[in-house]
Amino acid sequence: MLGIEPTAIPDVKILTPKRFDDGRGFFSEVYNRKRYEEAGVELDFVQDNHSLSETVGTIRGLHFQTTPFAQDKLVRVVRGRILDIAVDLRRSSPTFGRHVAVELSAENWRQLLVPIGFAHGFCTLEPDTEVLYKVTNYYSAAHDRGLAFDDPALGIEWPVAPGDAVLSEKDRKHPRLADLPACFD
């Protein structure tokens, strides 16, 4: 069984797999292609990624890949908590430049489906947070792009002040939305 919740941008969805708790712990079928297809999520995942962020206030993103290596992502947290963000970069979309912000945690068991055409990033809310995500295309350094996490035009309310965020050097240098070339129609 798979719960599906809509978000403010219809193409971004919150998916919650059924979890069975008992005296030993729990069991959950976090991904089953057949069940996802029955729920209308028909994606071919080809790669799993796993990140550990040791410090609260670590921001990873906002990242995306351009065609022909664009990726759908299915994001979940196995330890800790994050504020997960998806920003619509589809120029022809009525929600272009808008974002969805969802808290994902090991406790709430939610997953965020981020489709092609969106920049994705997150901020850790607990130390030693581990994030797993499936993607529908392989990593390509030549197609790897980013968007400035602190662009005021995006209106993202990050849970950490921009100057206090823990970022990679790469993520500090991404362009703002107004300076980003059209990547998705």
Side-chain angles (χ1 to χ4, degrees):
M1 186 168 169
L2 180 67
I4 300 178
E5 298 172 58
T7 67
I9 300 177
D11 291 333
V12 178
K13 296 176 180 18
I14 299 168
L15 307 175
T16 308
K18 181 75 174 149
R19 187 169 142 156
F20 301 93
D21 295 282
D22 64 23
R24 301 167 295 172
F26 72 86
F27 172 82
S28 181
E29 192 175 79
V30 295
Y31 178 75
N32 176 310
R33 177 183 231 148
K34 181 180 174 189
R35 299 223 190 292
Y36 275 62
E37 287 176 354
E38 289 169 356
V41 179
E42 297 184 32
L43 299 171
D44 184 20
F45 293 108
V46 299
Q47 180 176 312
D48 283 345
N49 300 319
H50 187 159
S51 74
L52 166 68
S53 299
E54 296 175 348
T55 306
V56 172
T58 298
I59 293 180
R60 294 181 183 260
L62 299 160
H63 303 141
F64 62 95
Q65 287 191 175
T66 58
T67 55
F69 287 91
Q71 301 171 319
D72 301 280
K73 295 180 181 179
L74 182 61
V75 184
R76 70 188 187 99
V77 173
V78 294
R79 181 169 57 164
R81 231 169 17 109
I82 64 172
L83 180 66
D84 207 23
I85 305 289
V87 178
D88 193 348
L89 299 180
R90 303 168 300 171
R91 297 275 175 171
S92 62
S93 170
T95 57
F96 172 75
R98 290 183 33 207
H99 71 278
V100 168
V102 176
E103 185 174 304
L104 303 180
S105 70
E107 186 176 318
N108 73 21
W109 213 239
R110 298 162 119 192
Q111 301 179 31
L112 191 66
L113 180 62
V114 181
I116 288 173
F118 285 75
H120 171 257
F122 62 84
C123 180
T124 58
L125 303 173
E126 293 182 8
D128 299 318
T129 293
E130 292 188 63
V131 177
L132 301 175
Y133 57 100
K134 298 178 146 338
V135 293
T136 57
N137 214 333
Y138 298 103
Y139 174 74
S140 170
H143 298 84
D144 187 27
R145 301 287 186 277
L147 177 63
F149 82 96
D150 58 350
D151 182 348
L154 301 176
I156 298 171
E157 293 183 25
W158 293 101
V160 61
D164 295 332
V166 178
L167 294 161
S168 69
E169 280 307 308
K170 178 179 152 186
D171 286 350
R172 290 183 191 282
K173 298 176 182 175
H174 293 312
R176 292 182 176 205
L177 184 63
D179 300 321
L180 191 69
C183 298
F184 303 101
D185 294 331

